[in-house]
Amino acid sequence: MSELNSIALKIISSGKGILAADESNGTMTKRLEAVNAKSTPESRLKFRNTLFTSSNMKSCIGGVILFDETIKQSIGSKSISEIVSESGAIPGIKVDIGAKTLSSSKEEKITEGLDGLRERLKEYYKLGARFTKWRGVYTISKSYPSKVAISTNAHALARYASLVQESSMVPIIEPEVLMDGHHNSKTCLDKTSEVIRKCFDELIDQKVDLKGVILKPNMILPGTNSEEKINSETIAKLTLECLIKNVPSEIPGIAFLSGGQSEIEATENLNMINLKNSSNFKMTYSYGRALQQSALKYWSKNQDDTEGTQKVFNHRARMSTLAAKGEWKKELEKI
Ligand code: 13P
């Protein structure tokens, strides 16, 4: 087993998932202000450290994705990477610098961050990171995602992945087809399939070791403005159809983003995916909002009640891990 393969498996095995705590300062400020909390480097650290030192980290969280600001912060003499490692999780880092307007298709985005990436990766490795994340973002409409958005983002994702592996870290490949829009689940299935296929074509062309990669896709869902209503069985069936057809079997695992689903929806859908999964892929979570939303709400009103916030987070982590094993039940949500 290669070193990269063993890091990837350590992050996503035994029902463990990933805590995506890598919101940029802009996004984190929006999240904090939405619950009437101040956004400062200190408040962002205080909330995140409360999560990282929660007791269920050990049994549930295999990796934590950090933002540049956080990986450079410390509490007393301990760096955040040390705190994350002590919790039993592997520290990771978001290395893209965000999605910018694509000049040739102005309503679409291209993710930037390749310039100087090799040097930044060396620094992050020294700071303790052993895996990384890069998110490509695609919108669905009548004419989108365009061929150019699909191919330029796939090319960038593969260039990123190759540089990350050169630096002895595991790249998370996140091509996120957004939920926003009027499209139905069939369109989401077709477009997500096209996006994922192109990403793997590029990864293979650029000689990325697929055994040392984690895929972070969206689930197959109808758009948020669609009239279509589908249950978790159909979501699981379509999601598995998409991934089993389009993802090479060498990939050790898949860790879904929550993408605007509620905490319970994201948990229920992941559980159903695992109940129906007939492939060898591990199917787990790499949730941001679906792991943190309730904890953030609680914390915003009780910022010194570490125990209370951790209780809320511990519950979400446990529910998500049960879902990653196909053992979640709605009754367990009552705390
Ligand atoms: P959500 O689970 O909130 O979609 O966040 C995951 C993530 O890392 C987005 O890049």
Side-chain angles (χ1 to χ4, degrees), residues 22-56:
D22 61 322
E23 298 85 357
S24 64
N25 288 346
T27 303
M28 199 57 193
T29 297
K30 269 191 230 150
R31 302 259 155 92
L32 285 162
E33 288 178 355
V35 291
N36 297 317
K38 266 212 182 116
S39 182
T40 63
E42 295 72 32
S43 69
R44 295 190 284 269
L45 178 62
K46 187 169 177 177
F47 172 66
R48 286 166 166 159
N49 186 53
T50 302
L51 305 187
F52 303 160
T53 50
S54 299
S55 58
N56 280 1

Side-chain angles (χ1 to χ4, degrees), residues 20 22 31 65 94 133 135 174 176 216 256-260 286-290:
D22 61 322
R31 302 259 155 92
I65 317 175
K94 184 228 299 286
K133 183 190 105 172
R135 171 176 174 259
E174 182 182 9
E176 177 175 7
K216 174 164 174 165
F256 293 98
L257 59 95
S258 60
S286 175
Y287 292 162
R289 284 161 286 180

Side-chain angles (χ1 to χ4, degrees), residues 151-289:
S151 65
T152 49
N153 276 294
H155 184 81
L157 269 162
R159 280 190 61 198
Y160 140 81
S162 169
L163 282 165
V164 170
Q165 290 192 338
E166 180 191 270
S167 298
S168 308
M169 294 186 275
V170 168
I172 293 187
I173 311 290
E174 182 182 9
E176 177 175 7
V177 179
L178 295 173
M179 255 167 97
D180 313 324
H182 292 87
H183 56 274
N184 61 20
S185 55
K186 167 79 172 67
T187 307
C188 180
L189 171 66
D190 292 346
K191 297 302 172 191
T192 304
S193 299
E194 198 180 338
V195 162
I196 289 179
R197 262 199 313 275
K198 187 67 184 165
C199 285
F200 283 106
D201 287 351
E202 283 287 344
L203 289 167
I204 291 164
D205 281 354
Q206 296 190 40
K207 303 195 168 42
V208 172
D209 172 11
L210 297 184
K211 291 199 177 80
V213 156
I214 296 171
L215 176 68
K216 174 164 174 165
N218 50 285
M219 294 178 192
I220 304 300
L221 300 161
T224 30
N225 299 321
S226 159
E227 310 262 282
E228 189 190 15
K229 295 273 169 283
I230 56 174
N231 60 20
S232 63
E233 290 213 359
T234 312
I235 293 166
K237 183 177 150 283
L238 295 173
T239 303
L240 287 165
E241 180 185 330
C242 173
L243 297 171
I244 291 169
K245 250 192 217 159
N246 298 297
V247 180
S249 58
E250 293 96 313
I251 291 288
I254 291 169
F256 293 98
L257 59 95
S258 60
Q261 297 179 74
S262 71
E263 292 175 338
I264 307 280
E265 281 165 350
T267 310
E268 184 170 14
N269 291 335
L270 177 63
N271 188 60
M272 192 55 79
I273 288 170
N274 276 293
L275 286 176
K276 293 193 172 297
N277 181 18
S278 59
S279 74
N280 289 326
F281 295 128
K282 293 188 192 312
M283 302 270 184
T284 187
Y285 56 92
S286 175
Y287 292 162
R289 284 161 286 180

Side-chain angles (χ1 to χ4, degrees), residues 72-119:
K72 293 172 179 163
Q73 286 173 316
S74 46
I75 307 260
S77 60
K78 265 189 203 160
S79 71
I80 292 303
S81 287
E82 283 170 329
I83 291 172
V84 167
S85 300
E86 273 174 17
S87 81
I90 297 181
I93 180 79
K94 184 228 299 286
V95 301
D96 68 67
I97 56 168
K100 309 284 159 64
T101 301
L102 185 59
S103 55
S104 54
S105 179
K106 297 225 183 306
E107 285 171 60
E108 296 188 281
K109 305 254 191 233
I110 176 71
T111 301
E112 295 191 347
L114 289 170
D115 290 349
L117 181 57
R118 183 177 265 137
E119 289 67 38

